[in-house]
Amino acid sequence: MTKKPDLPAWKALAEKEMRGKPLEGLNWETPEGITVKPLYTRDDLEGVEHLDSLPGFAPFVRGPKATMYTGRPWTIRQYAGFSTAEESNNFYRKALAAGQQGVSVAFDLATHRGYDSDHPRVVGDVGKAGVAIDSVEDMKILFDGIPLKDISVSMTMNGAVIPILANFIVAGEEQGCSRAELSGTIQNDILKEFMVRNTYIYPPEPSMRIIADIIEYTSKEMPRFNSISISGYHMQEAGATLVQELAYTLADGREYVRAALAKGMDVDAFAGRLSFFFCIGMNFFMEAAKLRAARLLWARIMQEFGASERSQMLRTHCQTSGVSLQEQDPYNNVVRTAFEAMSAALGGTQSLHTNSFDEAIALPTEFSARIARNTQLILQNETGVTNVVDPLAGSYYVESLTQQLADEAWKLIEEVEALGGMTKAVEAGLPKQRIEEAATAKQAAVDKGDTIIVGVNKFVLETEDDIDILEIDNTAVRKSQIARLEKTRAMRDQKACDAALAKLEEIARSGEGNVLEAAVEAARQRASVGEISDAMEKAWGRHKATPKVVSNVYAGAYDDDPEYNTLVSRLSDFAANLGEKPRVMVAKLGQDGHDRGAKVIASAFGDIGFDVVAGDLFQTPAEAAEAAIREKVHIVGASSLAAGHKTLLPELVEELKKRGAENIIVVAGGVIPRQDYKFLTDHGVSAVFGPGTNVLEAARSVLGLIEGRLTNR
């Protein structure tokens, strides 16, 4: 009889295969600080308490439903919105006809920030990276021919959540769908905006009032509607580790529950309408384990509030990662998205959005969106993944990861509690700083080649072919939006509209009453998104963050790297000859609050030896030009992720010229299609650094530009 092999026997065989090299060399350290071993056994599950849990029962590690996908697959959603309400409506109707099962709306940045399309601050943002919505009239067109009684609608909106939800409610009523019949989700997660995404409007305290009012209103009036989607997605996209994403998302949820309880609500009256939203990146098994750990920890948190077992259930939407998408060799992104989608399914998501392969370059085309949607249809119908509930259950590796992620995340959750909860932690800047440090460390790992990205820092194509992209005529969209806005204002009862806005302001200022209820009446009187936002801003003011830059993270990753030290020495010598450090301002133009790239560049350039000025968020080109002159910078690096580069960057160059500061160099970075590089250079931009650019290469180029400009002046 053959002897059963044991762990010592495996180690002996493994050491033989390694030819004397230590087995520890096979271990892998994740960005979360978790050591992943090459082999997991039953011994690794000692002390893991959730192993005997079953799907549909607390703590829901194996899924919120007993039958999971064997009874009903996850909902296929595609997050989309662009240009006008007419264009987006056409896209949604085609997608629904092709197998999409719900509508997920992306709004433009002007709308996110509570500005109407005719506001002077949003000239380059209208209709870019989402659909422009100014009033009920736009919202009615957006859902024309889409029966809101039958179709679930998810809306990613946080800053201007009150006017957007109010407009949606009124549009539904005028379509013949009562508030009680509306189904879907509004994101309504403002704490993560202060941490990473930055599409906030009001300060933290009144922003929390808005969330509580929405939870109160929807729990009474909209029983089929999810009042909040607590989002970790944007944290991971901003650079958070999976432990940080998990911990800070659940800590946000805990804070929102407390806000609702402070309104006198019963936890079981609203807990069932809380939902979550996670990012799914390329660490395949870790991402699946993260969703399982999230359900485990949320059940623990809700038990603290005395919630019923059903109210302890965490339900989540997921979206594949945008950051994992690469401009270089972009068809590889189809494969990346497919792996991420499979990971989300194995982790037990309730709905899923799959990104299009071209989203690292521009808005998705109908062609790329169809591939993304079909990825889910193939996953549901051809792979057999829906035939078994929680197929990874019992895996030594996955169960161990689930427990490790839960343990590490709980440490961060307790750290937040020690600061007085998530609102206090956000005000102190702790989560934001931790995430920015993680993002900078990740970029350093990619630049050094420690983290391999196919087509970017390994297996790179010699030449890249252009791909077809969707381009929005921002000028035409803005013109059409303004025309409809003017028509709406001309036809409304102005006296009734003014009275409704005054009532909203009074409720916001006094703290008495419900701001969503008042906003619904204002929307019914055809008050615009901007006017509703302004009424609350009069009471609460508009929040402005102070930009901060982390240091010594990028430098620490390079240690004694010769290329890095050569660049540092070259920059130091040039600064000595110049009599000062070369001064760089990193600018964010328009209403794009995604600042991961800008913060990473600012941090890395500072470590290399540049004197870095972090520009304010949401600058107009004129404001950025004024700041550049005031700060006496040599170069302005403008970061663009929202497709406004062809409007905003030429304006910045012109604003500098107007002020006699054409000697200040302008460069651009971010999500900019290669097809647009020549347009930008023809309009005075000296260099363009697209997605995947190595930071050291960018720093060398920027130093060369400054050297050339100062030498020739």
Side-chain angles (χ1 to χ4, degrees), residues 294-314:
R295 292 191 288 269
L296 174 68
L297 293 181
W298 186 244
R300 182 188 300 176
I301 288 169
M302 293 304 285
Q303 286 167 11
E304 297 173 359
F305 296 114
S308 67
E309 180 166 311
R310 180 171 177 78
S311 294
Q312 296 169 27
M313 180 193 301
L314 179 145

Side-chain angles (χ1 to χ4, degrees), residues 250-380:
L250 297 182
D252 281 352
R254 191 188 228 172
E255 194 83 340
Y256 296 143
V257 170
R258 286 174 176 152
L261 293 176
K263 296 276 289 185
M265 299 179 64
D266 178 78
V267 66
D268 293 324
F270 64 85
R273 285 296 158 190
L274 305 178
S275 67
F276 288 80
F277 175 27
F278 287 104
C279 181
I280 304 295
M282 285 297 289
N283 192 342
F284 186 85
F285 290 106
M286 187 83 81
E287 290 287 6
K290 179 185 74 182
L291 298 185
R292 304 172 90 250
R295 292 191 288 269
L296 174 68
L297 293 181
W298 186 244
R300 182 188 300 176
I301 288 169
M302 293 304 285
Q303 286 167 11
E304 297 173 359
F305 296 114
S308 67
E309 180 166 311
R310 180 171 177 78
S311 294
Q312 296 169 27
M313 180 193 301
L314 179 145
R315 295 164 298 111
T316 189
H317 169 71
C318 290
Q319 181 174 338
T320 59
S321 172
V323 168
S324 71
L325 303 178
Q326 304 299 325
E327 178 196 36
Q328 296 90 335
D329 206 359
Y331 291 107
N332 288 340
N333 295 332
V334 176
V335 182
R336 293 184 176 105
T337 294
F339 284 136
E340 291 169 350
M342 175 70 87
S343 181
L346 292 175
T349 189
Q350 277 65 70
S351 68
L352 180 63
H353 165 90
T354 33
N355 288 331
S356 301
F357 72 84
D358 51 0
E359 288 186 55
I361 304 163
L363 292 168
T365 62
E366 285 194 25
F367 170 73
S368 65
R370 180 174 61 85
I371 293 174
R373 183 172 57 252
N374 286 351
T375 299
Q376 294 196 57
L377 292 171
I378 291 167
L379 192 54
Q380 285 189 352

Side-chain angles (χ1 to χ4, degrees), residues 11-27:
K11 287 182 178 178
L13 180 59
E15 286 171 354
K16 181 179 178 182
E17 292 175 354
M18 290 290 287
R19 298 179 181 178
K21 294 179 182 177
L23 282 180
E24 288 75 14
L26 295 176
N27 290 347

Side-chain angles (χ1 to χ4, degrees), residues 419-466:
L419 289 173
M422 202 56 172
T423 303
K424 296 293 185 185
V426 166
E427 289 172 349
L430 176 68
K432 188 177 186 70
Q433 180 182 338
R434 290 271 177 82
I435 291 170
E436 288 173 2
E437 288 170 349
T440 305
K442 284 182 182 180
Q443 184 60 48
V446 172
D447 288 347
K448 286 182 68 180
D450 294 341
T451 298
I452 293 171
I453 300 180
V454 174
V456 176
N457 60 5
K458 198 167 185 179
F459 313 111
V460 180
L461 288 176
E462 289 186 11
T463 59
E464 295 264 4
D465 295 328
D466 289 340

Side-chain angles (χ1 to χ4, degrees), residues 6-177:
D6 54 15
L7 199 56
W10 175 83
K11 287 182 178 178
L13 180 59
E15 286 171 354
K16 181 179 178 182
E17 292 175 354
M18 290 290 287
R19 298 179 181 178
K21 294 179 182 177
L23 282 180
E24 288 75 14
L26 295 176
N27 290 347
W28 171 53
E29 187 82 6
T30 75
E32 294 75 21
I34 293 173
T35 299
V36 176
K37 305 180 298 182
L39 179 71
Y40 285 77
T41 67
R42 188 186 303 274
D43 293 343
D44 293 292
L45 301 186
E46 187 174 345
V48 176
E49 296 179 2
H50 67 258
L51 290 177
D52 294 329
S53 65
L54 289 171
F57 296 92
F60 304 104
V61 177
R62 300 194 61 185
K65 299 289 185 183
T67 54
M68 285 303 289
Y69 307 143
T70 62
R72 177 187 172 190
W74 65 88
T75 300
I76 297 173
R77 294 189 185 276
Q78 291 304 97
Y79 178 56
F82 50 86
S83 181
T84 61
E86 290 90 344
E87 289 292 327
S88 295
N89 173 262
N90 183 51
F91 183 91
Y92 297 152
R93 291 169 72 169
K94 286 181 179 178
L96 289 167
Q100 184 173 310
Q101 296 155 338
V103 172
S104 188
V105 182
F107 298 94
D108 73 355
L109 289 165
T111 305
H112 271 287
R113 294 269 293 147
Y115 293 117
D116 288 330
S117 296
D118 59 356
H119 198 285
R121 297 196 70 86
V122 298
V123 172
D125 295 300
V126 177
K128 293 282 192 178
V131 59
I133 296 294
D134 291 315
S135 74
V136 170
E137 297 306 318
D138 290 328
M139 195 70 83
K140 288 169 67 177
I141 294 168
L142 188 67
F143 296 110
D144 183 44
I146 298 172
L148 294 177
K149 285 183 180 180
D150 305 319
I151 298 296
S152 171
V153 176
S154 173
M155 293 180 286
T156 299
M157 179 53 65
N158 302 281
V161 63
I162 287 291
I164 286 299
L165 186 51
N167 276 289
F168 175 70
I169 290 168
V170 175
E173 289 175 351
E174 295 186 9
Q175 194 193 80
C177 179

Side-chain angles (χ1 to χ4, degrees), residues 497-661:
C497 182
D498 290 343
L501 289 169
K503 180 67 173 176
L504 172 60
E505 182 186 345
E506 178 192 336
I507 287 173
R509 195 181 300 278
S510 68
E512 301 294 328
N514 188 291
V515 290
L516 177 56
E517 185 176 20
V520 168
E521 181 56 34
R524 193 174 284 121
Q525 299 301 330
R526 292 316 190 255
S528 69
V529 167
E531 289 165 339
I532 293 172
S533 295
D534 287 347
M536 292 183 288
E537 186 178 341
K538 288 175 184 175
W540 297 328
R542 184 173 278 262
H543 180 72
K544 183 178 180 181
T546 302
K548 296 179 181 178
V549 178
V550 301
S551 59
N552 298 320
V553 176
Y554 198 87
Y558 269 82
D559 295 323
D560 297 323
D561 182 85
E563 283 192 46
Y564 179 83
N565 289 324
T566 297
L567 177 59
V568 170
S569 296
R570 176 185 160 195
L571 181 57
S572 178
D573 292 343
F574 178 70
N577 291 329
L578 184 64
E580 61 177 331
K581 288 183 177 182
R583 197 161 169 81
V584 178
M585 186 174 94
V586 180
K588 289 293 296 180
L589 303 179
Q591 300 305 306
D592 174 22
H594 295 84
D595 61 353
R596 173 181 180 167
K599 287 292 184 65
V600 166
I601 289 293
S603 177
F605 272 46
D607 284 357
I608 291 165
F610 289 94
D611 187 3
V612 178
V613 176
D616 290 334
L617 286 171
F618 314 122
Q619 288 181 316
T620 65
E623 289 168 342
E626 291 283 359
I629 294 166
R630 183 175 62 251
E631 297 287 350
K632 299 179 181 178
V633 303
H634 300 102
I635 193 164
V636 176
S639 171
S640 173
L641 273 82
H645 52 273
K646 290 176 75 172
T647 302
L648 297 169
L649 283 160
E651 283 189 20
L652 174 59
V653 172
E654 286 304 311
E655 292 292 344
L656 288 168
K657 284 181 181 177
K658 282 182 192 177
R659 292 160 175 78

